[in-house]
Amino acid sequence: MRIRSIIITFCLLSSIAVQIHSQQVADSIFATYFARSQAYADAYPREKAYLHLDNTSYYIGDTIWYKAYVVTAEQNQPSPISTPLYVELLDQLGNTSERQIIQLRDGEGEGQFILTKALFSGFYEIRAYTKWMLAFSEKQYFSRTIPVYRKRRSEVDENRSIITYRMDESMKQRPRSKEKDFMIRFFPEGGQLVEGVPSVVAFEATSKEEGTVGISGTVYGPDDVELAQFTTLHDGMGCFTYTPTDKQAKAVVTYQDKKYSFQLPKALPQGYVLNVTSKEKALVIKVLRKSTSLKDTLALFTSHQGCPLMYQTLDFKDQTVYHLPLSTQGLPGGVIQLSLMNSNGATLCERFCYVMPRSSMLLACKTDHALYRPFEPVTCRIKVRDHLNRPVQANLSVSIRNGVESDFREYDHSIYTDLLLVSDLKGYIHQPGFYFENQSAERFKMLDVLLLVRGWRKYDLSRLIGKRPFLPRYLPETSLTLYGQVESYFGKALRNVGVRILARRDSVSIA
C-alpha cells in the first residue's frame, strides 16, 4: 500500500510538471506571435481619409468645396506618412469625371470640383485615398455618394430633379443582376456554427426593390421542430440564438404574402464558438467548445486597427466554456477585433466589437439670427470644450448650408461616424449617426448586430504574426512624383527628351 501511494504521488507530480511545461511553451509561442504583430504594426501603420464637404447635394454649375483630413488609423491623429492625396469624382456610370492630386500639410488639404455644364445630373461618388491606403490586400478609401441636380431654369424654380438619359444600345447588353427579389443572409457569431453548441446568428433581409426590409420568421430543425423565432431590430438586421444539430436548419419567412425558406449555414461536427456580450464598461466573452476531447492550445488576441493590445491564453481545464470578462476602460474607442487563435497561428473565430470613446468634445454653435436673407452676412460663434467642460483650442473646418434646401438627413455621416465606425465596416451603412443617438441597451444591441453583419476582416492576423509573407503594392509617398513618357506622332517612345512642366492652381501658374 505504501509503495503504491508513492507511485501515485509521483505520477501526479509528473502530470502536473508536464502541464506546466506545455503551458509555458504555449505562452512562449503566443508571446512570439504578439511581438511579431507589434513589429508589423510599427512597420506598416495604416491611414484613413475623410472629406468634409460644404454641402450634401449640388446643382450643375455649382462648385464642390472640400477639406481633406488624413489620419493614422490607430490614433486618429494627423498622418505624417503621405503627402499626395488622390481625390476622384465619378459619375453614376462609374466613369471618372475628374481626378485631382492635392498636397497634404500635417494631414490636411483642400480642393474643389467645378460641376460644369458638360456634366450630366445624377448621383456622383467622391473618393479619396493615398497610395499607401491601396498598398495592402484590403484596399480602403473614403467614399461618399451625393446627388447632383439639373441646373435651375430660373431663380424661382424650386423643383429639383435628376434627368434620366436614354441609355446607349450597347449598355443594354450588360449582364443582368443575379440578385434575387428577396433574400436573407446569415452571419454566425465568430464565423462558424458547431453542432450542439448554442450560437448567436445575425441576419440581414434585403429586397431587390426596397433595399433592407423588416421581417419576422421561425427557425426549424429536423422534422420541422421549432428552434427559434426572429425579427429585425433595425434596418433589416437582427439576430437570434439557437443550438445547431448535424442537420441544417432552415428559416421560414413570409414576405409580401409569399412564403420563403432559407438554409442556415451547416454546423461543424467539432470546434469552438466565440460569444461576446457588450456592456457599457466591459465585454463579457465566452469561448465554447463541443466537448472536453478538444485539446487545442488557444489564445484570445485583442487588437485595434491592426495594432495588438493584449492576448490571453485559455485553459478550459475540464470545462466546455471559458469565461473571460474584459474591461473596456483601458481600450481605445472604435472597432475592436477579437481573434481566437491556436498555437499554429490559425484564426479559428473572429469577432468585432465597438468600444465607446471614453471622452468626447462638446461643440456649441450660436448664430446672431435664426433666419437670414440671401447673401446676408452670418455671424457664428463656436465654443469647443472637453468632457470636463474646459475650453479647448481647436482647428475647425466649417460649412454653412441653406437649411431649407439642404438634403442633410438626421443621423447622417460625420467625421466621428466615418473614422470610428464606417471605415472598418463593409458595404453601405445607412444613417450611421443613428447608432450613437444615445447609449441605451437597445441602441448598443443594434450597433452590435451591425458589426456582426458588416464586420470586415481588414487586418489578416496570419500576415501580422509572420505566417504569410507581405509585400506592399506601393510605398508611402512623401512627395509627388510624376511618371510618363514622350511619344512621337506615330506613337513611338522617345528617349533623352527635355521636358518642361506647367502646373496650374486656380489663377497661379508655375513653370
Side-chain angles (χ1 to χ4, degrees):
M1 291 294 294
R2 187 175 181 181
I3 295 175
R4 185 179 299 173
S5 64
I6 293 174
I7 294 174
I8 293 173
T9 304
F10 177 75
C11 292
L12 289 174
L13 292 175
S14 299
S15 176
I16 294 172
V18 170
Q19 292 178 4
I20 294 175
H21 176 71
S22 61
Q23 186 69 27
Q24 290 175 344
V25 172
D27 287 340
S28 176
I29 293 174
F30 292 125
T32 301
Y33 291 158
F34 188 80
R36 288 177 181 176
S37 58
Q38 282 184 317
Y40 181 96
D42 293 338
Y44 304 109
R46 301 294 185 96
E47 290 182 312
K48 293 182 180 181
Y50 176 78
L51 295 185
H52 182 193
L53 307 180
D54 68 322
N55 214 333
T56 52
S57 63
Y58 299 87
Y59 292 91
I60 294 295
D62 286 350
T63 298
I64 301 176
W65 300 89
Y66 63 84
K67 178 67 179 289
Y69 297 93
V70 177
V71 299
T72 55
E74 182 185 354
Q75 300 293 338
N76 286 316
Q77 296 296 318
S79 174
I81 300 174
S82 300
T83 297
L85 177 70
Y86 300 84
V87 187
E88 298 174 342
L89 181 67
L90 294 83
D91 63 21
Q92 55 190 348
L93 299 179
N95 302 315
T96 302
S97 299
E98 189 174 346
R99 185 170 184 259
Q100 298 178 350
I101 306 176
I102 67 171
Q103 181 181 1
L104 297 172
R105 300 179 182 86
D106 296 326
E108 298 182 11
E110 64 280 326
Q112 67 279 334
F113 288 109
I114 300 176
L115 302 174
T116 65
K117 296 180 180 179
L119 297 176
F120 295 135
S121 61
F123 289 92
Y124 282 71
E125 180 187 8
I126 294 182
R127 292 181 182 176
Y129 56 87
T130 65
K131 280 293 184 65
W132 186 237
M133 293 171 62
L134 305 182
F136 304 88
S137 57
E138 317 87 3
K139 295 181 181 179
Q140 181 186 346
Y141 51 85
F142 170 88
S143 174
R144 182 66 46 80
T145 301
I146 53 174
V148 176
Y149 300 107
R150 66 171 179 82
K151 187 175 179 61
R152 285 179 169 175
R153 298 173 181 174
S154 64
E155 293 184 0
V156 296
D157 183 8
E158 297 182 356
N159 294 322
R160 294 187 292 182
S161 63
I162 292 176
I163 300 176
T164 302
Y165 297 92
R166 184 175 62 86
M167 296 295 184
D168 185 82
E169 288 297 325
S170 62
M171 300 180 66
K172 294 182 180 180
Q173 304 304 317
R174 292 181 298 177
R176 293 185 177 182
S177 173
K178 296 182 180 180
E179 183 181 353
K180 297 181 179 179
D181 293 337
F182 175 71
M183 186 175 182
I184 302 180
R185 296 184 299 159
F186 299 96
F187 306 87
E189 184 179 22
Q192 62 187 20
L193 298 173
V194 178
E195 295 175 10
V197 180
S199 303
V200 174
V201 178
F203 66 89
E204 182 181 34
T206 56
S207 164
K208 189 175 181 180
E209 299 296 330
E210 302 180 36
T212 56
V213 294
I215 52 101
S216 295
T218 306
V219 178
Y220 294 99
D223 301 324
D224 288 335
V225 176
E226 182 177 321
L227 301 179
Q229 293 186 348
F230 60 91
T231 185
T232 49
L233 288 175
H234 174 69
D235 205 20
M237 294 176 286
C239 67
F240 58 90
T241 302
Y242 89 111
T243 301
T245 65
D246 58 341
K247 305 293 184 181
Q248 273 185 277
K250 63 179 179 181
V252 178
V253 176
T254 300
Y255 175 70
Q256 291 185 347
D257 299 327
K258 187 176 180 181
K259 201 171 188 178
Y260 295 86
S261 178
F262 301 92
Q263 292 285 337
L264 269 68
K266 185 174 178 58
L268 300 175
Q270 295 285 344
Y272 300 88
V273 170
L274 179 61
N275 173 254
V276 181
T277 303
S278 296
K279 302 292 185 180
E280 184 177 355
K281 296 183 179 180
L283 299 176
V284 181
I285 304 171
K286 290 192 301 183
V287 181
L288 304 92
R289 60 179 177 174
K290 173 69 177 294
S291 65
T292 57
S293 62
L294 292 173
K295 301 295 184 181
D296 299 281
T297 304
L298 305 176
L300 185 70
F301 278 72
T302 304
S303 57
H304 172 68
Q305 300 299 331
C307 181
L309 301 176
M310 65 185 76
Y311 74 94
Q312 173 70 47
T313 54
L314 310 185
D315 185 4
F316 282 88
K317 299 186 185 299
D318 295 327
Q319 306 296 319
T320 56
V321 181
Y322 187 91
H323 295 268
L324 179 63
L326 178 62
S327 172
T328 59
Q329 295 299 302
L331 299 180
V335 177
I336 299 295
Q337 182 174 326
L338 301 176
S339 305
L340 184 66
M341 182 184 297
N342 64 17
S343 57
N344 294 326
T347 302
L348 306 181
C349 299
E350 203 158 40
R351 177 71 150 84
F352 300 88
C353 305
Y354 192 87
V355 175
M356 289 293 178
R358 293 186 299 277
S359 61
S360 59
M361 298 294 179
L362 304 175
L363 191 146
C365 180
K366 185 178 181 181
T367 57
D368 50 347
H369 300 294
L371 299 174
Y372 292 88
R373 296 186 301 273
F375 304 104
E376 181 182 357
V378 178
T379 301
C380 182
R381 294 178 176 84
I382 300 175
K383 290 183 179 180
V384 182
R385 298 181 178 274
D386 62 15
H387 64 290
L388 297 177
N389 205 30
R390 297 174 300 192
V392 175
Q393 185 176 359
N395 181 19
L396 305 175
S397 58
V398 180
S399 62
I400 299 177
R401 308 176 178 123
N402 186 324
V404 176
E405 299 180 354
S406 175
D407 278 337
F408 180 81
R409 296 291 184 264
E410 191 178 14
Y411 311 133
D412 216 337
H413 290 256
S414 68
I415 191 170
Y416 180 95
T417 61
D418 278 42
L419 294 184
L420 293 184
L421 179 67
V422 175
S423 57
D424 292 307
L425 303 180
K426 60 182 177 182
Y428 171 71
I429 311 299
H430 181 60
Q431 295 182 324
F434 169 85
Y435 300 96
F436 305 104
E437 182 191 23
N438 57 61
Q439 296 190 16
S440 64
E442 182 184 18
R443 203 59 58 102
F444 252 84
K445 183 68 174 179
M446 295 176 180
L447 176 59
D448 199 47
V449 170
L450 174 70
L451 292 173
L452 289 174
V453 173
R454 299 296 176 87
W456 178 33
R457 194 177 183 186
K458 185 166 57 174
Y459 302 102
D460 185 356
L461 284 187
S462 63
R463 294 187 187 276
L464 269 63
I465 64 176
K467 283 291 183 177
R468 292 176 58 195
F470 172 71
L471 183 64
R473 290 190 177 94
Y474 307 98
L475 294 177
E477 292 184 307
T478 56
S479 61
L480 178 60
T481 304
L482 299 180
Y483 297 91
Q485 64 182 17
V486 179
E487 297 180 348
S488 67
Y489 288 110
F490 302 101
K492 182 179 180 180
L494 303 179
R495 297 179 179 274
N496 302 321
V497 177
V499 177
R500 292 183 181 180
I501 301 295
L502 180 66
R504 182 172 182 178
R505 179 174 180 177
D506 297 334
S507 60
V508 179
S509 298
I510 304 174

